[in-house]
Amino acid sequence: MEAERRDAESLAIPLLLEEDEKKPQKLVEKDTDVEAQPIGHYSAAAGTTSFFKTCFNGLNALSGIGILSTPHALSSGGWLSLIVLFLIAAATFYTGMLIKRCMDADPNVKTYPDIGQLAFGKKGRLVVSVFMNLELYLVATGFLILEGDNLYNLFPIDGVEIAGFRIEGKQVFVIAVALIILPTVMLNDMSMVSYISATGVLASIIILGSILMAGTYDGIGFHEKGRLLDWNGIPTAVSLYAFCYCAHPVFPTLYTSMKDKSKFSKVLLLCFIFCTIIYASMAVSGYLMFGSNANSQITLNLPLNRISSKVAIYTTLINPIAKYALMVTPIVNAIEDRLADSIRKSAGPVIRTSLVISTMIVALAIPFFGSLMSLVGAFLSLTAAVILPCLCYLKVSGTYRIFRLKLVVIAGILLVGILVAIIGTYTSLAEIIGHL
């Protein structure tokens, strides 16, 4: 209990002091401004997750449902867009390291919003919090849309009518999956979540293997030649590739939960290498199989009368269930940390249940998986994974004051990220509006 008290007191120290306040720190009373309060200190205080369990959590966060959309991304941009995939992987790995360095700069920094406050004060915390939580929220929503699409593809039903309200087939499945996912969200121990994450990582490998089996032995083949480059489809391809690497808001949670934080760089490197191989393999295989006809989810292209197809689709259904809890944990912590200690524990289940219900409602209202993920990738993933880490690191480290190679690299990544985010966001919004 004494250790917990010291942790709580240390988190009450302001993360960013004004110039005239840079004196020996002293404890202050809890700030009533919710945006100034530290977020997610429960996961940070644990520090009990092993190297391998953190690897599973990291792989599960990175090897997400984006694996299903990489063939569609490649079909949109053409073969040369694979170069973009590798560039995004390299850039986002580098920005992941920048997040780690920002956290190392101040022991009081525990979460992504803390980094924003360390760099730019309360406004920085607010901006980072908004982008981080909105991205994670929409990714969780995408999980439910994906589940509904694939279950309806397997078991097409007419829907039901309850109390005068008509619920269509896909909507029935979205609601059912939300109820199944709900118990996993009640877990708040990253070490326990790692066991669920292990199933998610295994599911990604099985999905890739099933797709390869479908192309090799089930009569589909790899006969499509595809296009070398399609400039019109590049914005969509870039947005979907960026969505594949949208786990940066989770990195601080993983970092602070580690027992040996010095090994976090190795965790990141292993996760990025493994996931990039998986993404590239899926993109190439799916494009060779279906060419320009590749759907937003590769599983929707598969013939349902093949065993390999059924394995791929059924395994796809496991992924969102395994990943949902990991994605929404930072959001849950952010909400719980704003509550008084006396009600936090009792309010936790209500908050988690409300979060699942709200994502379910959004999934029912906007059932466009490809367009939604493209929007998340362009506007939110690029902002949270590229733009914000660069800006925060430049400010925290003071690198922007001295012209050197590191400044050139970070500035280049930042400028390209901003440009791509603008173009991709416009394209994705146009697609969503076109569907409505």
Side-chain angles (χ1 to χ4, degrees):
M1 294 297 292
E2 180 65 16
E4 291 180 3
R5 184 187 64 79
R6 289 196 300 267
D7 287 340
E9 289 178 344
S10 66
L11 289 173
I13 299 173
L15 290 173
L16 184 66
L17 300 176
E18 300 297 337
E19 292 298 325
D20 58 349
E21 296 177 334
K22 293 183 179 178
K23 299 175 183 179
Q25 295 176 331
K26 60 181 180 179
L27 297 179
V28 296
E29 293 183 2
K30 189 173 183 180
D31 194 339
T32 56
D33 184 348
V34 294
E35 292 305 331
Q37 297 175 14
I39 299 176
H41 63 268
Y42 296 105
S43 59
T48 58
T49 310
S50 67
F51 174 84
F52 290 106
K53 288 182 179 180
T54 305
C55 282
F56 279 128
N57 284 333
L59 287 170
N60 195 31
L62 272 177
S63 63
I65 55 177
I67 189 175
L68 302 177
S69 61
T70 52
H72 178 64
L74 188 55
S75 71
S76 298
W79 287 111
L80 289 181
S81 69
L82 269 179
I83 299 174
V84 177
L85 173 66
F86 297 126
L87 290 176
I88 290 176
T92 49
F93 168 74
Y94 185 73
T95 55
M97 293 300 299
L98 295 183
I99 288 176
K100 173 186 177 297
R101 291 169 187 169
C102 287
M103 297 186 72
D104 290 338
D106 190 324
N108 293 317
V109 175
K110 306 296 182 183
T111 65
Y112 206 7
D114 285 351
I115 295 174
Q117 184 168 337
L118 178 67
F120 300 105
K122 294 180 181 179
K123 291 182 180 179
R125 171 178 286 276
L126 175 61
V127 170
V128 172
S129 296
V130 169
F131 277 97
M132 179 192 82
N133 292 320
L134 185 57
E135 178 191 16
L136 295 176
Y137 185 88
L138 290 179
V139 169
T141 302
F143 289 163
L144 298 181
I145 297 174
L146 180 147
E147 292 282 84
D149 287 346
N150 281 281
L151 282 170
Y152 183 76
N153 191 35
L154 283 174
F155 311 106
I157 59 176
D158 294 332
V160 296
E161 187 168 332
I162 300 177
F165 291 96
R166 177 71 180 177
I167 303 177
E168 301 299 333
K170 288 184 181 180
Q171 295 176 327
V172 171
F173 289 122
V174 169
I175 296 171
V177 170
L179 295 176
I180 294 172
I181 285 176
L182 182 59
T184 69
V185 181
M186 298 301 168
L187 297 174
N188 58 5
D189 184 346
M190 293 303 294
S191 183
M192 291 296 297
V193 172
S194 67
Y195 293 106
I196 300 176
S197 295
T199 64
V201 175
L202 180 61
S204 296
I205 298 174
I206 293 176
I207 290 171
L208 175 60
S210 301
I211 297 296
L212 293 174
M213 288 287 291
T216 305
Y217 299 107
D218 286 343
I220 298 177
F222 302 95
H223 307 301
E224 297 289 339
K225 295 182 179 179
R227 294 168 290 186
L228 185 64
L229 181 65
D230 184 354
W231 285 108
N232 293 329
I234 285 294
T236 298
V238 173
S239 299
L240 291 174
Y241 290 148
F243 174 73
C244 293
Y245 298 95
C246 65
H248 286 59
V250 181
F251 288 168
T253 303
L254 299 179
Y255 180 67
T256 54
S257 71
M258 282 193 75
K259 185 183 301 181
D260 184 358
K261 295 177 176 56
S262 64
K263 295 181 179 179
F264 185 72
S265 300
K266 294 180 181 179
V267 170
L268 275 188
L269 183 61
L270 288 173
C271 291
F272 272 86
I273 291 176
F274 177 86
C275 292
T276 300
I277 292 173
I278 293 291
Y279 286 140
S281 299
M282 178 65 84
V284 171
S285 301
Y287 194 31
L288 287 174
M289 291 167 66
F290 302 109
S292 58
N293 294 319
N295 285 324
S296 60
Q297 303 170 49
I298 188 66
T299 50
L300 300 180
N301 285 105
L302 299 176
L304 298 180
N305 59 345
R306 299 287 192 271
I307 294 178
S308 59
S309 301
K310 291 181 179 179
V311 171
I313 295 172
Y314 283 125
T315 308
T316 296
L317 299 176
I318 298 174
N319 250 346
I321 297 175
K323 298 175 189 299
Y324 190 99
L326 183 64
M327 287 291 106
V328 301
T329 293
I331 304 176
V332 173
N333 287 341
I335 298 173
E336 289 182 347
D337 287 354
R338 294 176 179 178
L339 302 177
D341 294 339
S342 58
I343 65 171
R344 181 178 294 125
K345 186 174 181 179
S346 59
V350 177
I351 294 171
R352 294 163 190 264
T353 302
S354 300
L355 183 62
V356 174
I357 293 176
S358 65
T359 55
M360 178 191 72
I361 293 173
V362 176
L364 295 175
I366 312 176
F368 314 121
F369 178 82
S371 299
L372 180 62
M373 295 306 98
S374 180
L375 175 62
V376 172
F379 181 55
L380 298 173
S381 296
L382 281 170
T383 301
V386 176
I387 298 173
L388 291 177
C390 289
L391 290 175
C392 289
Y393 179 77
L394 288 174
K395 185 66 167 62
V396 170
S397 66
T399 301
Y400 66 95
R401 296 191 183 98
I402 305 174
F403 184 81
R404 53 177 129 175
L405 180 59
K406 180 184 289 188
L407 175 60
V408 174
V409 172
I410 296 176
I413 294 174
L414 179 60
L415 291 175
V416 172
I418 293 174
L419 178 63
V420 172
I422 294 173
I423 297 174
T425 300
Y426 172 80
T427 303
S428 302
L429 284 175
E431 290 180 356
I432 293 176
I433 294 173
H435 285 308
L436 294 177

